[in-house]
């Protein structure tokens, strides 16, 4: 028992943690409750299943903190990045994947590893013995969540996450829509035409906003409050913040030219991104929603080009739970009150697939080092992973702690560089250059 690492949860974080620990020579058991115990959002029993989106966001490792995180994970032989690269879809400058083959690749790779086994079933209590990583993600089972709350003496924090709808490509009217990545971004023609665009004039946009605001919405249960994470707001919540919010957010028309009407500038544009390799499914970018199903079809069919759309999946909303990590975890991601247990992934208060997997990578390596009788220092906060773990284990204010994506605001400044928008390009390049050098040094220590 003491030489085995047990991981609860086979999502992004749990899968990456298992891979890293197993590659360090440690025996690993993944405990995954699906498919025996289902969740609202998951569709399969595969490890590494993607729920909300099929995008890992920007892959630019010189000007974007998420792209830098991709780079660090690849440099550390990360499983999630390797599987994403194998199942990559055109998405301009982003890294998007064919979600089902991606999850199958993750599952097959882990099951083929001689140091990894998987046990299916729910863990409902905090283990007292052995080395464990809890990587149950935002949909931690009720029983385990209660056990965590009982141990920590505090209720788990929670916010609500919404899922975007997916449309069948053959039901989209291409006499109105067109293929183009914003600003024609991408090195190949496939990348430069990775997004499907549906234009709106001012009247169509105003009518769409009215329909959004009037649509029937999912009601919360008694005692629940809508503490949304800003990076994943339902579109109707954004619309409630102001009629122009959406056209300056997911529906912004900049960097796009409609070939059907090249002389007319669209007032707003709805973008769809390929959701599978065949190109038969497209998800509506940024259109997470809590509208009821009937209302969704009525509202979304107002979008030019989607009048006859058929939906492979409609949007939805679910509760995401996370712990107050600055209070509860040490810098090794261990529970202060029970140091045989580590937490990793979205339950720690990082937001996003990549960030979750990154915390799994660190937890797996730290746990493996401990099991082998050593220790692994936390990476410097000049790296993307170091900036994230520093934030969640003490850098953030515990009283106002909320889920956080990786961003350059978490990095220590580089001296001698200009602040503000004009100096941003040089500043971001300096951040990423420094991070890559420091990350390589940290990897060499492991």
């Amino acid at each position: 028992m003491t030489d085995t690492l047990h991981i609860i949860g086979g999502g992004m974080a749990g899968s990456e943690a298992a891979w890293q620990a197993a590659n360090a020579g440690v025996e690993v058991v993944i405990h995954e409750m699906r498919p025996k115990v289902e969740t609202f959002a998951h569709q399969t029993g595969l490890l590494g299943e993607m729920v909300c989106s099929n995008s890992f966001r920007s892959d630019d490792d010189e000007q974007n903190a998420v792209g830098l995180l991709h780079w660090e994970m690849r440099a550390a032989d990360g499983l999630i990045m390797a599987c994403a690269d194998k199942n990559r879809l055109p998405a301009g400058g982003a890294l998007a994947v064919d979600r089902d083959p991606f999850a199958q690749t993750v599952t097959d790779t882990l099951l083929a590893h001689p140091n990894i086994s998987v046990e299916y079933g729910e863990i409902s209590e905090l283990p007292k013995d052995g080395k464990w990583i809890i990587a149950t993600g935002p949909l931690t089972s009720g029983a385990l969540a209660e056990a965590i709350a009982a141990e920590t003496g505090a209720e788990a924090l929670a916010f609500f996450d919404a899922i975007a709808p997916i449309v069948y490509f053959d039901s989209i009217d291409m006499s109105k829509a067109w293929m183009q990545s914003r600003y024609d971004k991408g090195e190949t023609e496939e990348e430069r035409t990775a997004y499907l665009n549906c234009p709106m004039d001012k009247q169509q946009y105003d009518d769409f906003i009215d329909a959004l605001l009037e649509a029937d919405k999912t009601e919360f249960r008694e005692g629940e409050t809508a503490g949304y994470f800003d990076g994943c707001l339902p579109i109707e919540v954004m619309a409630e913040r102001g009629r122009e919010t959406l056209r300056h957010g997911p529906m912004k028309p900049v960097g796009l030219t409609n070939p059907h009407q090249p002389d007319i500038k669209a007032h707003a544009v709805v973008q769809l991104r390929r959701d599978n390799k065949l190109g038969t499914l497209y998800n509506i970018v940024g259109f997470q929603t809590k509208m009821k199903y009937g209302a969704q079809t009525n509202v979304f069919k107002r979008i030019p080009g989607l009048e006859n759309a058929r939906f492979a999946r409609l949007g939805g909303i679910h509760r995401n739970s996370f712990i107050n990590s600055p209070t509860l975890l040490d810098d090794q991601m261990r529970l202060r009150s029970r140091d045989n247990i580590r937490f990793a992934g979205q339950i720690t208060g990082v937001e996003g697939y990549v960030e979750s997997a990154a915390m799994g990578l660190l937890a797996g390596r730290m746990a493996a080092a401990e099991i082998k009788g050593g220790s692994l220092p936390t990476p410097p906060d000049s790296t993307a992973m170091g900036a994230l773990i520093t934030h969640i284990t003490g850098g953030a204010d515990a009283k106002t702690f909320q889920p956080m994506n990786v961003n350059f605001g978490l990095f220590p400044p580089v001296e001698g560089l200009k602040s503000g928008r004009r100096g941003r390009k040089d500043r971001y390049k300096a951040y990423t250059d420094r991070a890559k050098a420091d990350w390589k040094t940290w990897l060499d220590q492991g």
Side-chain angles (χ1 to χ4, degrees), residues 3-18:
D3 294 332
T4 300
L5 175 62
H6 294 264
I7 299 174
I8 307 176
M12 297 291 172
S15 295
E16 188 65 63

Side-chain angles (χ1 to χ4, degrees), residues 46-47 103-113:
L46 295 173
L47 304 174
Q104 191 66 62
T105 304
V106 172
T107 303
D108 293 344
T109 305
L110 290 173
L111 291 177
H113 199 295

Side-chain angles (χ1 to χ4, degrees), residues 17-324:
W19 178 253
Q20 295 292 330
N23 284 345
V26 171
E27 295 290 329
V28 178
V29 178
I30 300 173
H31 301 267
E32 172 54 56
M33 68 179 186
R34 295 177 296 114
K36 289 186 176 181
V37 179
E38 297 180 345
T39 75
F40 166 84
H42 289 90
Q43 304 295 317
T44 74
L46 295 173
L47 304 174
E49 179 181 340
M50 304 178 81
V51 175
C52 293
S53 165
N54 72 322
S55 175
F56 288 98
R57 308 180 349 259
S58 175
D59 204 32
D60 182 351
D61 61 39
E62 293 189 347
Q63 292 290 313
N64 190 284
V66 178
L68 173 62
L69 198 52
H70 292 182
W71 186 95
E72 291 182 8
M73 293 174 71
R74 289 183 177 114
D77 188 28
L79 170 71
I80 296 302
M81 282 297 105
C83 294
D85 289 335
K86 286 180 181 178
N87 294 281
R88 186 169 191 150
L89 296 175
L95 173 58
V97 305
D98 194 347
R99 68 175 76 209
D100 288 341
F102 165 80
Q104 191 66 62
T105 304
V106 172
T107 303
D108 293 344
T109 305
L110 290 173
L111 291 177
H113 199 295
N115 291 346
I116 298 175
S117 60
V118 180
E119 294 184 3
Y120 294 95
E122 181 181 3
I123 302 291
S124 58
E125 297 181 355
L126 289 183
K128 295 181 179 179
D129 303 311
K131 300 295 184 182
W132 293 74
I133 295 175
I134 296 178
T136 46
L139 300 179
T140 299
S141 71
L144 184 58
E146 289 179 8
I148 293 169
E151 171 64 28
T152 59
E155 293 184 4
L157 304 178
F159 66 106
F160 288 86
D161 209 357
I163 300 172
I166 295 176
V167 179
Y168 288 103
F169 174 75
D170 63 8
S171 69
I172 299 171
D173 184 351
M174 294 305 294
S175 70
K176 297 179 180 179
W178 78 97
M179 307 300 298
Q180 182 191 5
S181 296
R182 202 178 301 279
Y183 298 110
D184 298 310
K185 215 179 242 188
E187 296 182 359
T188 65
E189 182 64 18
E190 193 175 36
E191 291 283 347
R192 290 189 287 272
T193 57
Y195 289 81
L196 191 153
N197 302 282
C198 299
M200 287 185 181
D201 60 28
K202 188 176 187 306
Q203 186 61 56
Q204 290 168 329
Y205 177 79
D206 287 338
D207 291 345
F208 181 76
I209 296 298
D210 288 338
L212 264 184
L213 296 174
E214 295 168 4
D216 288 336
K217 319 293 194 305
T218 300
E219 299 295 330
F220 295 102
R221 296 176 182 174
E222 186 176 351
E224 291 183 338
T225 57
Y228 295 108
F229 172 59
D230 275 351
C232 205
L233 285 175
I235 53 168
E236 58 274 8
V237 173
M238 284 190 273
E240 289 167 359
R241 294 184 173 184
R243 296 185 67 87
E244 294 293 290
T245 302
L246 282 172
R247 64 181 298 267
H248 291 286
M251 294 176 67
K252 59 181 177 284
V254 298
L256 298 166
T257 301
N258 183 355
H260 305 304
Q261 296 178 307
D263 298 328
I264 299 176
K265 181 69 175 177
H267 187 72
V269 173
V270 175
Q271 285 199 309
L272 293 86
R273 179 179 56 234
R274 191 192 296 187
D275 205 74
N276 66 346
K277 191 171 185 179
L278 292 174
T280 56
L281 301 175
Y282 276 72
N283 67 70
I284 311 181
V285 178
F287 267 48
Q288 301 87 357
T289 181
K290 62 168 185 165
M291 286 186 288
K292 292 183 177 179
Y293 285 169
Q296 286 185 46
T297 56
N298 291 334
V299 172
F300 294 147
K301 286 187 176 184
R302 291 174 175 267
I303 299 171
L306 302 188
E307 294 91 344
N308 298 308
R310 292 180 292 109
F311 295 89
R313 183 189 74 188
L314 288 166
I317 186 166
H318 56 270
R319 180 175 177 138
N320 282 0
S321 298
F322 61 99
I323 62 173
N324 196 315

Side-chain angles (χ1 to χ4, degrees), residues 419-439:
S419 59
R421 292 184 63 85
R422 289 188 178 181
R424 185 171 57 182
K425 187 173 182 180
D426 291 339
R427 190 167 65 252
Y428 289 175
K429 183 64 163 59
Y431 281 145
T432 56
D433 285 347
R434 179 183 63 178
K436 290 173 183 178
D438 291 350
W439 182 246

